[in-house]
Amino acid sequence: MRAQLDFLLTLPLPALILLHLVLSPYTKVEESFNLQATHDILTYGIPTRNVTDYLFRYYDHFSFPGVVPRTFTGAVVLAAMAKPGVWLGINAQLAVRGALGLLNALALLSYRNAVSTAFGRSTGNWYLLFQASQFHVVYYASRTLPNMFAFALTTLALRGFLPDPTSGPSAISRRHRLSVYLLTLTGVVFRSEVALLLVTHLVFLLYTRRISLFAEVLPAGFGGAAVGLLVTVPLDSFFWQRIPLWPELAGFFYNAVAGKSSDWGTSPWWFYVGSALPRLLLNPLAWMLCLPLALTLMSTRRAAGAISIPLLGFVAAYSIQPHKEWRFIVYAVPGLTATCALGANYIWTRRAKSALYGGLSTLLLLSVVGSLAASTGMLLISRLNYPGAEAVARVHEIALSSVPSPHARSTNVTNADDSTVATIVHTNIHMDTLSCTTGVTRFLELKHPIVMSPSSNIDGSVTPLTAMAFFYDKTENETTLLRPEFWERFDYVIAERPEKVIGKWEIVESVKGFAGVKMSRKAREDDREAQGGKDTRFEVVNGEKKGMGGSGVAAEIGRIWHLAEKWARRHITGGRWVEIRMEDRVHILARSP
């Protein structure tokens, strides 16, 4: 029975990661390099002849290289993992992200198994409850940030530093060497800040005499660095056509040595401890009660300290860097969650001994439910941040449902007697910077002509088959955008500011995006009745109700939200409610006749 319960508790984590992927399938600009690179490998393959010309012609990173080069290692691995799913007909972007999400889920479950081995099944189960009810790790596990490639490897590596009472000295030594090897390789290939994570762990382990410098650290460190360099330098020199190239070294010099990361904003020294970590751990009882309890109790503080001290040292040392983002310290989350689980298990195993422990145990269970509810709310809000992707999908629908203009560019396909058997209508779409940074990827492009049904004439004859081919443009050069002739070739434009689009255009639809949350003190039901019953948070487009970003799923979420709001206003809050504010983010423009 206990084994079955343990198995059932492992299912929510990968299931939640996939649920977050399905409900929020689009991506932001931070994820774009690895996603576009994976797309290009899946779609165009890896060239063996005329390499430079082929890469420049088909691969996205030559047109949009970014400020520093990034490694293709993760993209190559993801393309290989996602290929079977694509063959089976799974949406390619979902297959790619799903592969990464499941990889991170397996790493987290492996870490949970190590926690169970080290501290007991109950602690492992509390770890799973805390981890699954967090938001950031679950939401971003399938997102192609470089940090999430590194996250899987660092989680597996830190697993090896957990105590294992079932293993002898030689097995523990092998685990330590593997951990050092993985952390070194990860720092060389994916994220240079992992080197600092490795240093804080080695300092602690060497100080406590739990690891050997010459027998374990140096051989594994040199081995990980050598393998990492042998992977990343040839691979990335090939894809970037720059020899030799070590992307992470280039990124380290640009961001840390030259200090260019500060151009993206700076945060105070306390940001990680005072803001990022509470948001990452999410459950207030986990980090306000369980974490300090585990670090101070006589029975748990040694184990909790062995896990947390190197991680908190990493966070403290990285706080010196002016530019701060939660994703730079996300590698600390599994370990700190395990420390929280130690404190929770201490309370849980004593729940029958006193009313205090019984009450705290009940509060802990309720806090997990509350954190899961908060995480779900954050998911529903976060999925509203991709108006660019929503707009591309709508342009496809609008164009395919419209009668092609007689002035539209087209190509005729003829048979042997030169009679036209098909007409391919060319539809050109320009996407501005905001749309490209809020969900647009090459996976969303329709690469083959879409057949439009032939129509029968009165005499019974059938007109030639008509198909529509889409062409996409992401030009962002300001000088080019000021030329009137540039805009003449487009049939549709997706733009944040329509007034900057030159020529005769009409706005056919506006796509909304998340604009914040506010507390409404006046009953909105009265407002709607005063407006004749119209719900202004939704708009009707082509006879279909669209809301909260413009997709059918979003409209259903909006309907459920409205029902919950209506009931709560009448029976609980006295008319008050948390309002999700939406505003027009991008506009779809069609060329006027």
Side-chain angles (χ1 to χ4, degrees):
M1 182 65 181
R2 180 175 294 180
Q4 293 174 336
L5 177 62
D6 289 346
F7 173 75
L8 289 176
L9 285 174
T10 64
L11 299 179
L13 190 57
L16 283 169
I17 288 174
L18 293 179
L19 177 65
H20 282 62
L21 163 61
V22 172
L23 289 182
S24 187
Y26 301 128
T27 59
K28 281 288 190 71
V29 63
E30 296 88 352
E31 309 156 50
S32 63
F33 171 77
N34 282 301
L35 196 63
Q36 307 283 43
T38 307
H39 165 276
D40 294 344
I41 294 170
L42 277 172
T43 305
Y44 305 116
I46 300 175
T48 56
R49 294 181 299 176
N50 301 319
V51 172
T52 300
D53 292 340
Y54 191 92
L55 292 175
F56 267 92
R57 180 178 180 182
Y58 293 109
Y59 274 59
D60 186 76
H61 66 289
F62 283 109
S63 299
F64 302 94
V67 293
V68 292
R70 291 296 183 189
T71 182
F72 270 79
T73 305
V76 170
V77 173
L78 269 194
M81 293 177 63
K83 192 70 173 180
V86 175
W87 282 339
L88 293 174
I90 299 175
N91 176 277
Q93 182 161 311
L94 293 181
V96 168
R97 287 189 51 198
L100 179 59
L102 291 177
L103 187 65
N104 278 311
L106 289 175
L108 290 168
L109 291 177
S110 176
Y111 192 87
R112 178 261 188 171
N113 292 338
V115 170
S116 297
T117 301
F119 310 118
R121 287 181 174 179
S122 179
T123 303
N125 291 338
W126 275 107
Y127 168 81
L128 270 181
L129 290 174
F130 284 152
Q131 190 72 74
S133 60
Q134 293 170 3
F135 171 71
H136 285 82
V137 168
V138 175
Y139 185 76
Y140 284 90
S142 67
R143 296 187 170 273
T144 53
L145 292 164
N147 311 78
M148 299 318 294
F149 288 94
F151 181 81
L153 294 174
T154 59
T155 301
L156 291 173
L158 297 182
R159 175 189 187 277
F161 290 142
L162 293 173
D164 186 356
T166 65
S167 300
S170 60
I172 293 174
S173 178
R174 287 195 299 270
R175 285 161 56 98
H176 286 170
R177 287 198 299 270
L178 178 61
S179 296
V180 173
Y181 174 87
L182 287 175
L183 288 173
T184 306
L185 184 146
T186 305
V188 168
V189 176
F190 290 109
R191 293 296 303 183
S192 58
E193 71 262 15
V194 174
L196 184 59
L197 182 68
L198 173 62
V199 168
T200 58
H201 277 83
L202 290 182
V203 168
F204 179 83
L205 292 170
L206 289 169
Y207 178 77
T208 55
R209 298 183 180 181
R210 300 183 185 184
I211 198 169
S212 169
L213 177 64
F214 294 102
E216 296 170 359
V217 175
L218 293 180
F222 282 122
V227 171
L229 289 172
L230 288 174
V231 169
T232 186
V233 173
L235 183 70
D236 294 309
S237 297
F238 170 83
F239 278 106
W240 287 94
Q241 291 295 288
R242 292 161 55 182
I243 301 175
L245 176 64
W246 179 5
E248 269 312 293
L249 182 63
F252 175 78
F253 271 104
Y254 181 87
N255 291 311
V257 178
K260 294 295 185 179
S261 63
S262 297
D263 295 345
W264 305 102
T266 60
S267 301
W269 63 268
W270 48 263
F271 171 79
Y272 285 137
V273 174
S275 177
L277 280 179
R279 287 185 289 119
L280 287 168
L281 297 176
L282 190 59
N283 189 323
L285 287 186
W287 58 271
M288 295 179 67
L289 174 64
C290 298
L291 182 64
L293 190 67
L295 289 169
T296 54
L297 287 171
M298 184 70 69
S299 60
T300 59
R301 65 185 183 187
R302 183 175 181 181
I307 298 172
S308 299
I309 289 174
L311 295 174
L312 294 175
F314 162 70
V315 173
Y318 210 67
S319 296
I320 298 173
Q321 183 74 4
H323 178 63
K324 298 177 179 66
E325 296 183 39
W326 66 264
R327 59 191 178 97
F328 298 156
I329 61 164
V330 69
Y331 324 111
V333 171
L336 294 178
T337 303
T339 305
C340 295
L342 280 171
N345 182 63
Y346 180 89
I347 295 171
W348 180 254
T349 54
R350 288 160 177 78
R351 64 189 182 279
K353 293 184 177 181
S354 71
L356 175 62
Y357 285 122
L360 288 175
S361 296
T362 301
L363 287 176
L364 280 174
L365 291 174
L366 291 175
S367 73
V368 171
V369 176
S371 295
L372 186 60
S375 177
T376 303
M378 295 166 73
L379 164 64
L380 298 181
I381 290 174
S382 296
R383 72 166 308 282
L384 306 177
N385 286 313
Y386 306 94
E390 299 277 4
V392 170
R394 285 295 297 142
V395 168
H396 292 154
E397 295 173 6
I398 293 169
L400 289 170
S401 62
S402 303
V403 177
S405 167
H407 304 292
R409 302 164 187 83
S410 61
T411 302
N412 291 327
V413 179
T414 59
N415 58 17
D417 61 0
D418 291 334
S419 61
T420 300
V421 295
T423 299
I424 299 177
V425 179
H426 297 186
T427 299
N428 290 279
I429 306 169
H430 171 75
M431 302 167 292
D432 74 348
T433 300
L434 179 63
S435 59
C436 289
T437 57
T438 56
V440 172
T441 70
R442 301 186 83 178
F443 280 113
L444 303 184
E445 297 177 359
L446 300 179
K447 296 176 177 60
H448 305 289
I450 305 299
V451 175
M452 305 171 74
S453 299
S455 59
S456 298
N457 299 319
I458 297 177
D459 60 2
S461 63
V462 178
T463 59
L465 189 70
T466 301
M468 184 170 288
F470 291 89
F471 301 89
Y472 307 85
D473 176 80
K474 298 187 289 185
T475 300
E476 55 188 9
N477 182 277
E478 291 293 338
T479 302
T480 303
L481 295 176
L482 291 174
R483 297 173 182 168
E485 61 271 18
F486 168 77
W487 300 98
E488 292 176 358
R489 61 190 175 101
F490 297 111
D491 302 287
Y492 295 93
V493 172
I494 303 173
E496 177 186 14
R497 299 178 60 184
E499 68 273 12
K500 299 184 71 173
V501 180
I502 300 173
K504 293 182 179 181
W505 301 86
E506 60 176 333
I507 298 176
V508 295
E509 189 169 322
S510 296
V511 180
K512 297 181 182 299
F514 178 68
V517 176
K518 68 177 181 178
M519 176 63 73
S520 172
R521 296 182 180 274
K522 184 178 181 181
R524 287 292 296 270
E525 202 64 37
D526 295 338
D527 295 344
R528 294 187 198 107
E529 290 175 1
Q531 297 166 7
K534 180 182 179 182
D535 187 342
T536 57
R537 290 172 301 172
F538 297 90
E539 58 186 88
V540 176
V541 179
N542 293 336
E544 181 181 356
K545 193 175 185 182
K546 297 287 178 179
M548 290 190 166
S551 73
V553 174
E556 183 64 18
I557 292 171
R559 187 186 67 82
I560 296 172
W561 179 270
H562 170 52
L563 292 175
E565 171 191 351
K566 184 177 179 180
W567 183 87
R569 280 186 187 275
R570 290 180 176 178
H571 301 285
I572 299 177
T573 65
R576 292 177 174 82
W577 188 252
V578 175
E579 291 282 344
I580 296 177
R581 294 193 297 111
M582 305 292 292
E583 65 181 20
D584 293 340
R585 296 297 307 279
V586 295
H587 307 273
I588 300 173
L589 285 71
R591 180 172 294 283
S592 297

